[in-house]
Amino acid sequence: KYVLSPIWWLVKQVGLIFHEYVLSPIWRVICNSLCWDIVGLGVGSFAATDEALAMPLLNAVEFAMGPNPVRWNMQEIADVMTSVAIVCFWLYVLLLPFLSWLLNDYLGLLVQVCDTPAESITCGDGGNYTRIAEKLGRWRDGELIGCGCGHGVLGDWACAVDQQHFSISYFIATAPGTGMMALLTAMPIYSMWSVAEEQLAKVNSGAQQWHALVRRTLIVFTISFGLFLCNPVCQMPQLHVACVVTFNVFAIVHFTALAQGLNAVRLPGQGAQVVRIMTGFGIFSIGAGLCFPVGPSWIGQHAFWLGEAVGLSLGMALAPVLIW
């Protein structure tokens, strides 16, 4: 009554939101934009050989989908793709340790793609990697092996290899991890540009300083985020950290300026309050993860990853939320 019922209610609400803003738009795009053309083409080809049998089928399809189905424009399709990408991004960054275990050990990909001797790997928590590899059965050609930092499918979940603690940067330092990060952030970043363009068009062009601030902060954020992906923490740690700090700072300034503009074009508090709350929680989450003391315990190793995962999820979701 007091534990399971509230949890079940929350799960149902998340499911309803996911259905309304993700599944339903996708289904409408598929049916309205694609199915009618595919079915019509198939029935048309069939009618060329047997019109008597094809016409009832065509009439049934027209009855089910309507004679003139609405085809979405490119912006509407982009909004749907953004919704899907942001949900997948949340799942990706918040489940990185689980995905690492799933790919590396449950599916056994680690022993197929990595060959670093276990005795040469150092754990951030001071653990013995050889014992970890033996416990997890990471044998290859009679030798215990593991993945070095930046090797494999995703960063090793068993311990933070050659790092003091876990982080998003550590997990995605591999080629597949970086590629998935780029894929899932492309549309949310595009939505940031769409929202900025909309607000710039609505706010009085006389506010030159505000216009310049919104444009320049978004440009620097986009470039520095791309450089963050181009410079993995395992290979170029100093440059990587500099890019992370840069894109976080300019994202905060951009969203703060955006909130100021939203006050001028929407109802008082609408939109701007959403930006302030999500930005504030994002800053708090990243700050909490950064300030939490690093230690050998699970939370001591994972606090920073969890803080930046929540903070980055809020930041990437901000523009899509405004579009929704």
Side-chain angles (χ1 to χ4, degrees), residues 131-181:
R131 293 180 180 176
I132 294 174
E134 184 177 11
K135 180 180 178 180
L136 296 174
R138 296 176 173 180
W139 294 91
R140 181 174 181 178
D141 299 330
E143 183 183 9
L144 287 170
I145 55 93
C147 284
C149 187
H151 299 164
V153 183
L154 284 176
D156 196 347
W157 65 275
C159 81
V161 177
D162 297 331
Q163 301 290 311
Q164 293 184 345
H165 52 71
F166 290 100
S167 64
I168 291 179
S169 300
Y170 164 76
F171 282 114
I172 69 164
T174 64
T178 301
M180 182 60 70
M181 191 73 167

mmCIF file of all heavy atoms in Angstrom, residues 131-181:
data_model
loop_
_atom_site.group_PDB
_atom_site.id
_atom_site.type_symbol
_atom_site.label_atom_id
_atom_site.label_comp_id
_atom_site.label_asym_id
_atom_site.label_seq_id
_atom_site.Cartn_x
_atom_site.Cartn_y
_atom_site.Cartn_z
ATOM 1 N N ARG A 131 42.550 -11.188 -10.017
ATOM 2 C CA ARG A 131 41.526 -11.943 -9.283
ATOM 3 C C ARG A 131 40.130 -11.663 -9.848
ATOM 4 O O ARG A 131 39.297 -12.563 -9.926
ATOM 5 C CB ARG A 131 41.572 -11.566 -7.797
ATOM 6 C CG ARG A 131 42.840 -12.008 -7.086
ATOM 7 C CD ARG A 131 42.823 -11.605 -5.623
ATOM 8 N NE ARG A 131 44.041 -12.017 -4.938
ATOM 9 C CZ ARG A 131 44.315 -11.728 -3.670
ATOM 10 N NH1 ARG A 131 43.427 -11.024 -2.949
ATOM 11 N NH2 ARG A 131 45.442 -12.139 -3.124
ATOM 12 N N ILE A 132 39.904 -10.410 -10.248
ATOM 13 C CA ILE A 132 38.613 -10.069 -10.847
ATOM 14 C C ILE A 132 38.408 -10.839 -12.140
ATOM 15 O O ILE A 132 37.339 -11.420 -12.382
ATOM 16 C CB ILE A 132 38.529 -8.548 -11.105
ATOM 17 C CG1 ILE A 132 38.534 -7.772 -9.782
ATOM 18 C CG2 ILE A 132 37.284 -8.207 -11.911
ATOM 19 C CD1 ILE A 132 38.604 -6.269 -9.951
ATOM 20 N N ALA A 133 39.435 -10.867 -12.986
ATOM 21 C CA ALA A 133 39.336 -11.574 -14.265
ATOM 22 C C ALA A 133 39.124 -13.066 -14.053
ATOM 23 O O ALA A 133 38.348 -13.713 -14.775
ATOM 24 C CB ALA A 133 40.594 -11.325 -15.094
ATOM 25 N N GLU A 134 39.804 -13.629 -13.048
ATOM 26 C CA GLU A 134 39.648 -15.056 -12.758
ATOM 27 C C GLU A 134 38.227 -15.355 -12.267
ATOM 28 O O GLU A 134 37.607 -16.345 -12.679
ATOM 29 C CB GLU A 134 40.670 -15.487 -11.716
ATOM 30 C CG GLU A 134 40.649 -16.976 -11.422
ATOM 31 C CD GLU A 134 41.734 -17.379 -10.430
ATOM 32 O OE1 GLU A 134 42.349 -16.472 -9.822
ATOM 33 O OE2 GLU A 134 41.969 -18.585 -10.269
ATOM 34 N N LYS A 135 37.700 -14.494 -11.412
ATOM 35 C CA LYS A 135 36.346 -14.676 -10.887
ATOM 36 C C LYS A 135 35.308 -14.597 -11.995
ATOM 37 O O LYS A 135 34.304 -15.334 -11.984
ATOM 38 C CB LYS A 135 36.070 -13.611 -9.820
ATOM 39 C CG LYS A 135 34.691 -13.702 -9.203
ATOM 40 C CD LYS A 135 34.495 -12.618 -8.162
ATOM 41 C CE LYS A 135 33.087 -12.683 -7.578
ATOM 42 N NZ LYS A 135 32.873 -11.612 -6.556
ATOM 43 N N LEU A 136 35.521 -13.718 -12.968
ATOM 44 C CA LEU A 136 34.566 -13.526 -14.063
ATOM 45 C C LEU A 136 34.830 -14.460 -15.241
ATOM 46 O O LEU A 136 34.102 -14.407 -16.240
ATOM 47 C CB LEU A 136 34.613 -12.065 -14.538
ATOM 48 C CG LEU A 136 34.167 -11.024 -13.508
ATOM 49 C CD1 LEU A 136 34.391 -9.612 -14.048
ATOM 50 C CD2 LEU A 136 32.699 -11.222 -13.139
ATOM 51 N N GLY A 137 35.851 -15.282 -15.147
ATOM 52 C CA GLY A 137 36.131 -16.245 -16.204
ATOM 53 C C GLY A 137 36.636 -15.624 -17.489
ATOM 54 O O GLY A 137 36.290 -16.087 -18.588
ATOM 55 N N ARG A 138 37.476 -14.613 -17.377
ATOM 56 C CA ARG A 138 37.980 -13.927 -18.564
ATOM 57 C C ARG A 138 39.276 -14.581 -19.048
ATOM 58 O O ARG A 138 40.363 -14.037 -18.925
ATOM 59 C CB ARG A 138 38.192 -12.443 -18.261
ATOM 60 C CG ARG A 138 36.891 -11.714 -17.927
ATOM 61 C CD ARG A 138 37.126 -10.269 -17.538
ATOM 62 N NE ARG A 138 35.860 -9.560 -17.383
ATOM 63 C CZ ARG A 138 35.767 -8.264 -17.038
ATOM 64 N NH1 ARG A 138 36.866 -7.554 -16.819
ATOM 65 N NH2 ARG A 138 34.583 -7.696 -16.922
ATOM 66 N N TRP A 139 39.111 -15.756 -19.629
ATOM 67 C CA TRP A 139 40.244 -16.517 -20.146
ATOM 68 C C TRP A 139 40.275 -16.424 -21.662
ATOM 69 O O TRP A 139 39.244 -16.474 -22.316
ATOM 70 C CB TRP A 139 40.145 -17.980 -19.737
ATOM 71 C CG TRP A 139 40.271 -18.221 -18.260
ATOM 72 C CD1 TRP A 139 39.263 -18.275 -17.337
ATOM 73 C CD2 TRP A 139 41.476 -18.453 -17.545
ATOM 74 N NE1 TRP A 139 39.757 -18.515 -16.088
ATOM 75 C CE2 TRP A 139 41.129 -18.633 -16.176
ATOM 76 C CE3 TRP A 139 42.826 -18.511 -17.916
ATOM 77 C CZ2 TRP A 139 42.065 -18.884 -15.198
ATOM 78 C CZ3 TRP A 139 43.769 -18.768 -16.935
ATOM 79 C CH2 TRP A 139 43.398 -18.951 -15.592
ATOM 80 N N ARG A 140 41.477 -16.318 -22.200
ATOM 81 C CA ARG A 140 41.662 -16.341 -23.648
ATOM 82 C C ARG A 140 42.990 -17.016 -23.954
ATOM 83 O O ARG A 140 44.047 -16.530 -23.525
ATOM 84 C CB ARG A 140 41.640 -14.923 -24.231
ATOM 85 C CG ARG A 140 41.797 -14.888 -25.751
ATOM 86 C CD ARG A 140 41.620 -13.486 -26.276
ATOM 87 N NE ARG A 140 41.755 -13.445 -27.725
ATOM 88 C CZ ARG A 140 41.612 -12.331 -28.446
ATOM 89 N NH1 ARG A 140 41.316 -11.172 -27.859
ATOM 90 N NH2 ARG A 140 41.752 -12.380 -29.760
ATOM 91 N N ASP A 141 42.906 -18.125 -24.653
ATOM 92 C CA ASP A 141 44.102 -18.908 -24.983
ATOM 93 C C ASP A 141 44.898 -19.269 -23.741
ATOM 94 O O ASP A 141 46.139 -19.192 -23.711
ATOM 95 C CB ASP A 141 44.997 -18.143 -25.973
ATOM 96 C CG ASP A 141 44.284 -17.855 -27.286
ATOM 97 O OD1 ASP A 141 43.421 -18.662 -27.671
ATOM 98 O OD2 ASP A 141 44.584 -16.804 -27.907
ATOM 99 N N GLY A 142 44.167 -19.635 -22.678
ATOM 100 C CA GLY A 142 44.814 -20.065 -21.444
ATOM 101 C C GLY A 142 45.382 -18.950 -20.602
ATOM 102 O O GLY A 142 46.101 -19.213 -19.624
ATOM 103 N N GLU A 143 45.084 -17.696 -20.925
ATOM 104 C CA GLU A 143 45.621 -16.540 -20.194
ATOM 105 C C GLU A 143 44.489 -15.640 -19.732
ATOM 106 O O GLU A 143 43.519 -15.417 -20.458
ATOM 107 C CB GLU A 143 46.571 -15.754 -21.092
ATOM 108 C CG GLU A 143 47.238 -14.574 -20.399
ATOM 109 C CD GLU A 143 48.132 -13.778 -21.348
ATOM 110 O OE1 GLU A 143 48.085 -14.042 -22.565
ATOM 111 O OE2 GLU A 143 48.865 -12.901 -20.860
ATOM 112 N N LEU A 144 44.620 -15.136 -18.518
ATOM 113 C CA LEU A 144 43.638 -14.176 -18.009
ATOM 114 C C LEU A 144 43.863 -12.830 -18.684
ATOM 115 O O LEU A 144 44.982 -12.305 -18.687
ATOM 116 C CB LEU A 144 43.764 -14.035 -16.492
ATOM 117 C CG LEU A 144 43.248 -15.213 -15.658
ATOM 118 C CD1 LEU A 144 43.659 -15.057 -14.200
ATOM 119 C CD2 LEU A 144 41.733 -15.310 -15.767
ATOM 120 N N ILE A 145 42.780 -12.276 -19.251
ATOM 121 C CA ILE A 145 42.920 -11.015 -19.986
ATOM 122 C C ILE A 145 41.835 -10.027 -19.542
ATOM 123 O O ILE A 145 40.909 -10.365 -18.801
ATOM 124 C CB ILE A 145 42.842 -11.245 -21.519
ATOM 125 C CG1 ILE A 145 41.539 -11.979 -21.909
ATOM 126 C CG2 ILE A 145 44.040 -12.026 -21.987
ATOM 127 C CD1 ILE A 145 40.400 -11.134 -22.276
ATOM 128 N N GLY A 146 41.967 -8.810 -20.017
ATOM 129 C CA GLY A 146 40.987 -7.759 -19.744
ATOM 130 C C GLY A 146 41.083 -6.690 -20.819
ATOM 131 O O GLY A 146 41.852 -6.814 -21.778
ATOM 132 N N CYS A 147 40.306 -5.633 -20.640
ATOM 133 C CA CYS A 147 40.324 -4.510 -21.575
ATOM 134 C C CYS A 147 41.022 -3.330 -20.929
ATOM 135 O O CYS A 147 40.676 -2.931 -19.803
ATOM 136 C CB CYS A 147 38.898 -4.096 -21.962
ATOM 137 S SG CYS A 147 38.098 -5.216 -23.132
ATOM 138 N N GLY A 148 41.985 -2.760 -21.620
ATOM 139 C CA GLY A 148 42.596 -1.536 -21.143
ATOM 140 C C GLY A 148 41.639 -0.359 -21.308
ATOM 141 O O GLY A 148 40.578 -0.477 -21.928
ATOM 142 N N CYS A 149 42.004 0.778 -20.757
ATOM 143 C CA CYS A 149 41.154 1.968 -20.863
ATOM 144 C C CYS A 149 41.012 2.374 -22.326
ATOM 145 O O CYS A 149 42.009 2.544 -23.041
ATOM 146 C CB CYS A 149 41.774 3.114 -20.072
ATOM 147 S SG CYS A 149 40.731 4.582 -19.949
ATOM 148 N N GLY A 150 39.772 2.486 -22.790
ATOM 149 C CA GLY A 150 39.515 2.846 -24.169
ATOM 150 C C GLY A 150 39.419 1.663 -25.108
ATOM 151 O O GLY A 150 39.216 1.846 -26.306
ATOM 152 N N HIS A 151 39.570 0.443 -24.586
ATOM 153 C CA HIS A 151 39.505 -0.747 -25.421
ATOM 154 C C HIS A 151 38.172 -1.456 -25.214
ATOM 155 O O HIS A 151 37.513 -1.297 -24.197
ATOM 156 C CB HIS A 151 40.649 -1.709 -25.087
ATOM 157 C CG HIS A 151 42.003 -1.126 -25.315
ATOM 158 N ND1 HIS A 151 43.161 -1.671 -24.805
ATOM 159 C CD2 HIS A 151 42.397 -0.027 -26.007
ATOM 160 C CE1 HIS A 151 44.201 -0.949 -25.162
ATOM 161 N NE2 HIS A 151 43.771 0.057 -25.887
ATOM 162 N N GLY A 152 37.780 -2.269 -26.201
ATOM 163 C CA GLY A 152 36.568 -3.065 -26.069
ATOM 164 C C GLY A 152 35.339 -2.364 -26.596
ATOM 165 O O GLY A 152 35.423 -1.408 -27.380
ATOM 166 N N VAL A 153 34.186 -2.850 -26.161
ATOM 167 C CA VAL A 153 32.908 -2.308 -26.612
ATOM 168 C C VAL A 153 32.511 -1.112 -25.764
ATOM 169 O O VAL A 153 32.170 -0.045 -26.276
ATOM 170 C CB VAL A 153 31.815 -3.397 -26.566
ATOM 171 C CG1 VAL A 153 30.497 -2.856 -27.110
ATOM 172 C CG2 VAL A 153 32.252 -4.618 -27.355
ATOM 173 N N LEU A 154 32.521 -1.282 -24.450
ATOM 174 C CA LEU A 154 32.335 -0.193 -23.488
ATOM 175 C C LEU A 154 33.379 -0.364 -22.394
ATOM 176 O O LEU A 154 33.899 -1.464 -22.183
ATOM 177 C CB LEU A 154 30.927 -0.234 -22.867
ATOM 178 C CG LEU A 154 29.751 0.254 -23.710
ATOM 179 C CD1 LEU A 154 28.437 0.031 -22.954
ATOM 180 C CD2 LEU A 154 29.892 1.719 -24.086
ATOM 181 N N GLY A 155 33.677 0.715 -21.684
ATOM 182 C CA GLY A 155 34.625 0.637 -20.586
ATOM 183 C C GLY A 155 34.243 -0.443 -19.592
ATOM 184 O O GLY A 155 33.072 -0.664 -19.306
ATOM 185 N N ASP A 156 35.261 -1.143 -19.065
ATOM 186 C CA ASP A 156 35.041 -2.287 -18.179
ATOM 187 C C ASP A 156 34.289 -1.861 -16.916
ATOM 188 O O ASP A 156 34.674 -0.920 -16.225
ATOM 189 C CB ASP A 156 36.389 -2.892 -17.803
ATOM 190 C CG ASP A 156 36.255 -4.292 -17.225
ATOM 191 O OD1 ASP A 156 35.123 -4.696 -16.896
ATOM 192 O OD2 ASP A 156 37.281 -4.982 -17.110
ATOM 193 N N TRP A 157 33.211 -2.600 -16.617
ATOM 194 C CA TRP A 157 32.389 -2.307 -15.440
ATOM 195 C C TRP A 157 33.002 -2.866 -14.155
ATOM 196 O O TRP A 157 32.691 -2.404 -13.053
ATOM 197 C CB TRP A 157 31.000 -2.929 -15.599
ATOM 198 C CG TRP A 157 31.045 -4.438 -15.629
ATOM 199 C CD1 TRP A 157 31.283 -5.222 -16.718
ATOM 200 C CD2 TRP A 157 30.894 -5.324 -14.521
ATOM 201 N NE1 TRP A 157 31.289 -6.557 -16.367
ATOM 202 C CE2 TRP A 157 31.037 -6.648 -15.016
ATOM 203 C CE3 TRP A 157 30.643 -5.144 -13.163
ATOM 204 C CZ2 TRP A 157 30.947 -7.770 -14.208
ATOM 205 C CZ3 TRP A 157 30.552 -6.268 -12.348
ATOM 206 C CH2 TRP A 157 30.695 -7.565 -12.873
ATOM 207 N N ALA A 158 33.868 -3.882 -14.284
ATOM 208 C CA ALA A 158 34.376 -4.588 -13.112
ATOM 209 C C ALA A 158 35.245 -3.695 -12.235
ATOM 210 O O ALA A 158 35.246 -3.827 -11.000
ATOM 211 C CB ALA A 158 35.163 -5.828 -13.542
ATOM 212 N N CYS A 159 35.978 -2.793 -12.852
ATOM 213 C CA CYS A 159 36.725 -1.780 -12.108
ATOM 214 C C CYS A 159 37.092 -0.660 -13.067
ATOM 215 O O CYS A 159 37.113 -0.869 -14.287
ATOM 216 C CB CYS A 159 37.968 -2.354 -11.426
ATOM 217 S SG CYS A 159 39.403 -2.557 -12.508
ATOM 218 N N ALA A 160 37.360 0.520 -12.527
ATOM 219 C CA ALA A 160 37.729 1.669 -13.361
ATOM 220 C C ALA A 160 39.187 1.513 -13.775
ATOM 221 O O ALA A 160 40.107 1.853 -13.026
ATOM 222 C CB ALA A 160 37.527 2.969 -12.597
ATOM 223 N N VAL A 161 39.399 0.992 -14.984
ATOM 224 C CA VAL A 161 40.750 0.666 -15.456
ATOM 225 C C VAL A 161 41.535 1.941 -15.741
ATOM 226 O O VAL A 161 41.112 2.791 -16.536
ATOM 227 C CB VAL A 161 40.674 -0.206 -16.721
ATOM 228 C CG1 VAL A 161 42.074 -0.479 -17.264
ATOM 229 C CG2 VAL A 161 39.956 -1.512 -16.428
ATOM 230 N N ASP A 162 42.672 2.088 -15.051
ATOM 231 C CA ASP A 162 43.581 3.228 -15.231
ATOM 232 C C ASP A 162 42.909 4.572 -14.946
ATOM 233 O O ASP A 162 43.372 5.623 -15.421
ATOM 234 C CB ASP A 162 44.164 3.240 -16.653
ATOM 235 C CG ASP A 162 45.005 2.008 -16.935
ATOM 236 O OD1 ASP A 162 45.577 1.455 -15.983
ATOM 237 O OD2 ASP A 162 45.087 1.599 -18.110
ATOM 238 N N GLN A 163 41.811 4.570 -14.211
ATOM 239 C CA GLN A 163 41.116 5.795 -13.803
ATOM 240 C C GLN A 163 40.837 5.731 -12.311
ATOM 241 O O GLN A 163 40.741 4.647 -11.726
ATOM 242 C CB GLN A 163 39.793 5.950 -14.565
ATOM 243 C CG GLN A 163 39.920 6.000 -16.075
ATOM 244 C CD GLN A 163 40.567 7.275 -16.557
ATOM 245 O OE1 GLN A 163 40.188 8.370 -16.152
ATOM 246 N NE2 GLN A 163 41.541 7.143 -17.445
ATOM 247 N N GLN A 164 40.692 6.896 -11.675
ATOM 248 C CA GLN A 164 40.433 6.920 -10.244
ATOM 249 C C GLN A 164 39.007 6.489 -9.912
ATOM 250 O O GLN A 164 38.743 5.975 -8.818
ATOM 251 C CB GLN A 164 40.694 8.319 -9.681
ATOM 252 C CG GLN A 164 42.153 8.739 -9.715
ATOM 253 C CD GLN A 164 42.369 10.094 -9.062
ATOM 254 O OE1 GLN A 164 41.431 10.844 -8.827
ATOM 255 N NE2 GLN A 164 43.615 10.403 -8.751
ATOM 256 N N HIS A 165 38.081 6.730 -10.833
ATOM 257 C CA HIS A 165 36.676 6.392 -10.590
ATOM 258 C C HIS A 165 35.965 6.254 -11.931
ATOM 259 O O HIS A 165 36.532 6.582 -12.992
ATOM 260 C CB HIS A 165 35.999 7.473 -9.741
ATOM 261 C CG HIS A 165 36.171 8.859 -10.288
ATOM 262 N ND1 HIS A 165 35.532 9.303 -11.431
ATOM 263 C CD2 HIS A 165 36.945 9.907 -9.863
ATOM 264 C CE1 HIS A 165 35.875 10.557 -11.677
ATOM 265 N NE2 HIS A 165 36.744 10.946 -10.752
ATOM 266 N N PHE A 166 34.741 5.786 -11.891
ATOM 267 C CA PHE A 166 33.949 5.643 -13.107
ATOM 268 C C PHE A 166 33.391 7.006 -13.532
ATOM 269 O O PHE A 166 33.158 7.887 -12.701
ATOM 270 C CB PHE A 166 32.776 4.683 -12.879
ATOM 271 C CG PHE A 166 33.196 3.255 -12.705
ATOM 272 C CD1 PHE A 166 33.290 2.685 -11.442
ATOM 273 C CD2 PHE A 166 33.504 2.479 -13.811
ATOM 274 C CE1 PHE A 166 33.669 1.375 -11.279
ATOM 275 C CE2 PHE A 166 33.894 1.151 -13.662
ATOM 276 C CZ PHE A 166 33.976 0.593 -12.389
ATOM 277 N N SER A 167 33.165 7.148 -14.827
ATOM 278 C CA SER A 167 32.560 8.354 -15.373
ATOM 279 C C SER A 167 31.952 8.005 -16.723
ATOM 280 O O SER A 167 32.244 6.949 -17.297
ATOM 281 C CB SER A 167 33.603 9.465 -15.537
ATOM 282 O OG SER A 167 34.588 9.081 -16.491
ATOM 283 N N ILE A 168 31.104 8.898 -17.228
ATOM 284 C CA ILE A 168 30.588 8.703 -18.579
ATOM 285 C C ILE A 168 31.750 8.654 -19.563
ATOM 286 O O ILE A 168 31.789 7.808 -20.470
ATOM 287 C CB ILE A 168 29.605 9.827 -18.955
ATOM 288 C CG1 ILE A 168 28.319 9.710 -18.139
ATOM 289 C CG2 ILE A 168 29.287 9.785 -20.444
ATOM 290 C CD1 ILE A 168 27.313 10.810 -18.432
ATOM 291 N N SER A 169 32.698 9.555 -19.392
ATOM 292 C CA SER A 169 33.854 9.613 -20.288
ATOM 293 C C SER A 169 34.608 8.298 -20.312
ATOM 294 O O SER A 169 35.100 7.867 -21.366
ATOM 295 C CB SER A 169 34.788 10.743 -19.861
ATOM 296 O OG SER A 169 34.134 11.987 -19.906
ATOM 297 N N TYR A 170 34.728 7.638 -19.158
ATOM 298 C CA TYR A 170 35.435 6.354 -19.093
ATOM 299 C C TYR A 170 34.682 5.282 -19.870
ATOM 300 O O TYR A 170 35.274 4.542 -20.669
ATOM 301 C CB TYR A 170 35.596 5.935 -17.634
ATOM 302 C CG TYR A 170 35.961 4.477 -17.456
ATOM 303 C CD1 TYR A 170 37.250 4.024 -17.711
ATOM 304 C CD2 TYR A 170 35.002 3.552 -17.049
ATOM 305 C CE1 TYR A 170 37.583 2.686 -17.559
ATOM 306 C CE2 TYR A 170 35.323 2.217 -16.899
ATOM 307 C CZ TYR A 170 36.604 1.784 -17.152
ATOM 308 O OH TYR A 170 36.935 0.457 -17.014
ATOM 309 N N PHE A 171 33.378 5.179 -19.652
ATOM 310 C CA PHE A 171 32.599 4.129 -20.298
ATOM 311 C C PHE A 171 32.552 4.302 -21.816
ATOM 312 O O PHE A 171 32.567 3.328 -22.557
ATOM 313 C CB PHE A 171 31.181 4.101 -19.736
ATOM 314 C CG PHE A 171 31.063 3.437 -18.394
ATOM 315 C CD1 PHE A 171 30.706 4.168 -17.273
ATOM 316 C CD2 PHE A 171 31.309 2.085 -18.253
ATOM 317 C CE1 PHE A 171 30.587 3.560 -16.032
ATOM 318 C CE2 PHE A 171 31.201 1.461 -17.013
ATOM 319 C CZ PHE A 171 30.832 2.202 -15.889
ATOM 320 N N ILE A 172 32.472 5.556 -22.294
ATOM 321 C CA ILE A 172 32.304 5.782 -23.739
ATOM 322 C C ILE A 172 33.636 6.052 -24.434
ATOM 323 O O ILE A 172 33.640 6.465 -25.596
ATOM 324 C CB ILE A 172 31.340 6.948 -24.012
ATOM 325 C CG1 ILE A 172 31.979 8.284 -23.594
ATOM 326 C CG2 ILE A 172 30.007 6.747 -23.312
ATOM 327 C CD1 ILE A 172 31.282 9.499 -24.173
ATOM 328 N N ALA A 173 34.756 5.812 -23.771
ATOM 329 C CA ALA A 173 36.057 6.082 -24.387
ATOM 330 C C ALA A 173 36.373 5.108 -25.513
ATOM 331 O O ALA A 173 37.320 5.331 -26.273
ATOM 332 C CB ALA A 173 37.164 6.028 -23.333
ATOM 333 N N THR A 174 35.603 4.032 -25.636
ATOM 334 C CA THR A 174 35.797 3.082 -26.732
ATOM 335 C C THR A 174 35.164 3.631 -28.003
ATOM 336 O O THR A 174 34.329 4.542 -27.958
ATOM 337 C CB THR A 174 35.150 1.736 -26.388
ATOM 338 O OG1 THR A 174 33.730 1.921 -26.274
ATOM 339 C CG2 THR A 174 35.684 1.207 -25.068
ATOM 340 N N ALA A 175 35.535 3.044 -29.152
ATOM 341 C CA ALA A 175 34.977 3.504 -30.434
ATOM 342 C C ALA A 175 33.457 3.301 -30.494
ATOM 343 O O ALA A 175 32.721 4.232 -30.856
ATOM 344 C CB ALA A 175 35.667 2.786 -31.592
ATOM 345 N N PRO A 176 32.916 2.105 -30.150
ATOM 346 C CA PRO A 176 31.454 1.954 -30.172
ATOM 347 C C PRO A 176 30.758 2.866 -29.166
ATOM 348 O O PRO A 176 29.678 3.400 -29.451
ATOM 349 C CB PRO A 176 31.246 0.478 -29.816
ATOM 350 C CG PRO A 176 32.536 -0.193 -30.153
ATOM 351 C CD PRO A 176 33.585 0.824 -29.860
ATOM 352 N N GLY A 177 31.374 3.055 -27.996
ATOM 353 C CA GLY A 177 30.761 3.913 -26.982
ATOM 354 C C GLY A 177 30.673 5.354 -27.433
ATOM 355 O O GLY A 177 29.639 6.014 -27.247
ATOM 356 N N THR A 178 31.742 5.869 -28.049
ATOM 357 C CA THR A 178 31.731 7.239 -28.560
ATOM 358 C C THR A 178 30.738 7.381 -29.710
ATOM 359 O O THR A 178 30.016 8.383 -29.805
ATOM 360 C CB THR A 178 33.133 7.643 -29.035
ATOM 361 O OG1 THR A 178 34.051 7.544 -27.935
ATOM 362 C CG2 THR A 178 33.147 9.069 -29.563
ATOM 363 N N GLY A 179 30.703 6.381 -30.585
ATOM 364 C CA GLY A 179 29.763 6.431 -31.704
ATOM 365 C C GLY A 179 28.321 6.469 -31.247
ATOM 366 O O GLY A 179 27.508 7.243 -31.777
ATOM 367 N N MET A 180 27.963 5.656 -30.242
ATOM 368 C CA MET A 180 26.602 5.663 -29.727
ATOM 369 C C MET A 180 26.274 6.991 -29.056
ATOM 370 O O MET A 180 25.158 7.511 -29.189
ATOM 371 C CB MET A 180 26.430 4.509 -28.733
ATOM 372 C CG MET A 180 25.015 4.387 -28.170
ATOM 373 S SD MET A 180 23.770 4.121 -29.442
ATOM 374 C CE MET A 180 24.167 2.448 -29.952
ATOM 375 N N MET A 181 27.250 7.573 -28.351
ATOM 376 C CA MET A 181 27.044 8.877 -27.720
ATOM 377 C C MET A 181 26.764 9.939 -28.770
ATOM 378 O O MET A 181 25.854 10.768 -28.607
ATOM 379 C CB MET A 181 28.290 9.250 -26.913
ATOM 380 C CG MET A 181 28.108 10.459 -26.008
ATOM 381 S SD MET A 181 27.089 10.068 -24.564
ATOM 382 C CE MET A 181 27.401 11.525 -23.561
#
